[in-house]
Amino acid sequence: MGTLEAEAVVNQGTNSKMSSCSVCGGDDFAFRGVLGPKLIDEWRLSAEEASYIDVQQGKYCTQCGGSLRVMVLADAILAVLDQDRTLLDFCRSGDGVNLRILDINGAVSISDVLSTLPGYVRADYPEVDMLDLPYPDASFDIVLHSDTLEHIANPMRALEECRRILVPGGRVCYTVPTIVGRLTRSRAGLPKSYHGNPKVDADDYLVHTEFGADMWCFPLRAGFAHVRLDHRDFPAAIAVTAMRAAGPGEEAAQTRHLTGYVDAAGPDLVAGWAMDQNGFSAVAIDVIVNETATIRTPAQDHRPDLQDIYKTSGNHGFQVPLDRSLLRPGRNRVTVCFAGTGVPLPNGDRHFELSGSIYDQDGLRTVHNHEFISDPGFAAAYRRGIAAAGADYKWHWRVHVGLWAATVAAELPGDFIECGVNRGFMSSAIMEHLDWDKTGRMFYLLDTFLGINADFVSAEEVADGLLERNAKEIESGFYTTDAEAVRRNFSTWENVTIIAGSIPTTLVDISAQKIAFLHVDLNCSLPEVATLEALWDRIVTGGVILLDDYAYHGFRSQKVGIDRFACEKRCAVLSLPTGQGLIIKP
């Protein structure tokens, strides 16, 4: 008889705040019954079983709308990430910027929160079929799905597909309706039973499997090496986490006796060799650049030195050109691993400086020093900006200027104001950098959250195509129209006032008596000049005014209007190569 080399663990309480929602932190819950008599009869549920299944689906957080099964799934994800904060706080922190997450069919508020991460991918049926996932091997760190597996005709095959696309050590986290008092049974040959919308008997609502107390065996049989169960209000809500290890044909490097060496790693090329000493067969390697991009390639170039040493064909070498767009100014890391194992080759974890490197982002190209990008404080602030925006706009130098300006202003009395917030990239980075709530100030954040108001666009700007650009930015999603999402982003901090509406109309809602910092990014001349005129007298001496688009290509009308204002106030505007402008109030 064979032995199942695996482990199962039941967690008795993952979240120290079990009375609160692990997605958003809310502590107010409500209940709405969702289980109808037809389903109770089809599944032959006892009164007790019907009660806890109803709690699983019907108890929900009034703040984010997540049900108990969503909360326990969030518990499982947080356990994988080794976090004791909410999922919302984790995503806002920027710590998950390098995670690759596949969300199959969505999980309500979990999907809303995770979708802010750059590496988040959403897959929905029927475009994506769990039995044949359209992703390469080892593509994701986490795969999640909620109450989906019971609707798949072959749940074992679906779990095998999840395992295939996970990196070694990656996890699948999921929930299924579970009746703990009996074993799993197939509904093949039974009358059709549907979950979801009771009025729509569609195939994706059809139930193929009723999971029971042995549901934890499925991932082990699908090849996962470790299974963990999390629960809330047991037996109402149970989440399964299964970890992928090396499987058949993908043994650990030590078992396969893989060997190799990295001879060189620099900004242009990674070179070395890799081979399997057991069969001297060709192997593949993963070149991981700055822990974000992976290049997989076979090690099959001819190396005469290996031919002499190992008495083989010597076809075990590799030379991998590096795409400069994957590199960053300053310190870079390249890790060369045996493909699919995560095990580095000897001398395979390499660092190098991109000395004399070229900064080429956001319309600015220069060879001048830009080591600030590698500064941990800057990196943390920039990650927080990415978390707010849901994307990296490659604004490093622009944000660097913003952080400098905010740091200078923080030594002066007065509040901070940003006119033109959008998703909050710059202001979130600033607040993270200054540890905002400890400053004792208020940050006023103003935006239409509807794009540019056409009523304030000049004839010159219309002729320059500003309204067309505005429409494209809204359609692409670059300009947000979701003010509530912005409010959620800034709920991390207490001293924040968000004012929605068109400037200059909403400027009267700013109650600050003294202003130390003003960031203007309205992409339109009239509102920008009106902002300066309305707030000028409240800006303290030495106060910092940062103009986002003053010198930016395509925004000349703003420069003309601001220059006219500055001339009237007898002050100077410093034009910056980032496209920004800077005024220190005299």
Side-chain angles (χ1 to χ4, degrees), residues 38-58:
K38 181 180 178 182
L39 194 60
I40 293 173
D41 180 65
E42 289 171 347
W43 280 44
R44 300 179 182 177
L45 300 177
S46 68
E48 178 188 7
E49 290 166 344
S51 175
Y52 68 67
I53 292 290
D54 215 16
V55 168
Q56 181 209 65
Q57 304 291 337

Side-chain angles (χ1 to χ4, degrees), residues 100 137-138 164 166-170 244-247 249-259 274-276 283-288 294 296 335-346:
R100 296 165 296 173
D137 296 357
R164 178 185 64 79
L166 282 168
V167 298
R244 171 183 174 172
E250 218 175 33
E251 301 88 355
Q254 295 88 340
T255 303
R256 292 173 61 190
H257 300 287
L258 295 175
T259 187
M275 61 181 289
D276 182 344
V283 299
I285 54 134
D286 289 337
V287 178
I288 305 168
T294 299
R296 179 165 291 183
T335 307
V336 184
C337 299
F338 298 107
T341 68
V343 179
L345 276 67

Side-chain angles (χ1 to χ4, degrees), residues 118-186:
Y120 171 89
V121 176
R122 174 70 179 263
D124 289 296
Y125 182 85
E127 289 76 18
V128 174
D129 183 356
M130 279 192 74
L131 297 178
D132 187 19
L133 293 172
Y135 307 106
D137 296 357
S139 296
F140 297 96
D141 302 298
I142 297 174
V143 173
L144 67 101
H145 44 89
S146 180
D147 283 21
T148 292
L149 206 58
E150 69 271 22
H151 301 291
I152 307 300
N154 188 341
M156 194 75 70
R157 171 63 181 163
L159 287 171
E160 289 172 349
E161 275 293 271
C162 291
R163 177 185 170 277
R164 178 185 64 79
I165 64 172
L166 282 168
V167 298
R171 268 81 160 186
V172 60
C173 301
Y174 66 93
T175 63
V176 288
T178 303
I179 306 167
V180 298
R182 62 195 192 205
L183 297 179
T184 299
R185 72 168 182 172
S186 168

